[in-house]
Amino acid sequence: MFGRKPRDGPEFAPRPSRPRVPPNQSVTTSFYTLTAEQVPSVDVNNFTFRFWGEVRESTAMTWQQLMTVKHTTLTADFHCVTGWSMLGTEWGGALVRDVLEAAHVELSASARFVMAHCTTEFTTNLPLEALLADDTMLAWEWNRLPLTAPHGGPLRLLVPSLYAWKDAKWVSGFEFLAEDRPGFWESRGYHMHGDPWKEERYG
Ligand SMILES: Nc1nc2c(c(=O)[nH]1)N[C@H]1C(S)=C(S)[C@@H](COP(=O)(O)O)O[C@H]1N2
Ligand SMILES: [Mo]
């Protein structure tokens, strides 16, 4: 009403533009490493990336085939659930949706989730929409250099829309699922989804 002072509360608050950093994260410029297992050494000449589960037919790609998928670079922020965020890092690789197309992966109508598998025992689950997002990629370059082994080289998943534990390092396959199932950290108390803007840290 005219002359009335705005009150606090959602109906009266000006709509804030989204801040750059999700709640309770501090920005760092160091690229820490966070690894539950031993860093494996992955030989790209003896590498297959597999697709199975809720797909019409299981299939696989060699490293050489992966390198023929349309190359994409993207600048993304990276949020670790333990509270550090790295802003504006540059990644190179291929969008997951381009990889699926190149590999002729035909998802079953029942596919709703995916389990990312690694050459190690690490796994992580995510909804199909997160996997197919515009900025979800299989990355092999970081700041224009080949991704180093401690950071997941030769290949890692990058899902900027979720906390970084979803960014499976040494990723080696996608298992498509009809029902969600917890991965390595999710079965140890981490959130099944992991949206940093909603602080979906622990389950
Ligand atoms: N295979 C594997 N991938 C992983 C992890 C892991 O322990 N093993 N840690 C996750 C977590 S918690 C984070 S924050 C990021 C860290 O990536 P970085 O070690 O390159 O900084 O990798 C994610 N991917
Ligand atoms: Mo993390």
Side-chain angles (χ1 to χ4, degrees), residues 31-37 80 122 151 156 164 167 169-170:
F31 193 9
Y32 300 110
T33 59
L34 232 154
T35 307
E37 70 274 43
C80 175
F122 189 88
H151 289 297
R156 80 181 293 164
D167 300 354
K169 301 191 283 187
W170 317 290

Side-chain angles (χ1 to χ4, degrees), residues 39-106:
V39 173
S41 94
V42 179
D43 175 9
V44 296
N45 294 311
N46 200 353
F47 176 85
T48 30
F49 194 95
R50 297 178 196 284
F51 307 89
W52 75 99
E54 299 293 320
V55 289
R56 201 171 70 83
E57 210 179 334
S58 300
T59 178
M61 251 182 163
T62 63
W63 182 262
Q64 288 70 25
Q65 288 169 326
L66 187 61
M67 291 304 106
T68 67
V69 183
K70 185 177 129 200
H71 186 266
T72 298
T73 57
L74 64 87
T75 303
D77 297 345
F78 184 98
H79 311 295
C80 175
V81 68
T82 62
W84 53 275
S85 290
M86 251 185 342
L87 303 181
T89 53
E90 199 183 302
W91 300 83
L95 296 184
V96 170
R97 51 155 80 138
D98 290 339
V99 172
L100 295 178
E101 197 185 305
H104 306 291
V105 174
E106 279 185 51

Side-chain angles (χ1 to χ4, degrees), residues 25 53 64 77 84 90 95 98 107 116 118 124 138 150 163 168 186:
Q25 291 291 113
Q64 288 70 25
D77 297 345
W84 53 275
E90 199 183 302
L95 296 184
D98 290 339
L107 299 180
C118 303
T124 189
L138 285 173
Y163 281 122
E186 294 83 6

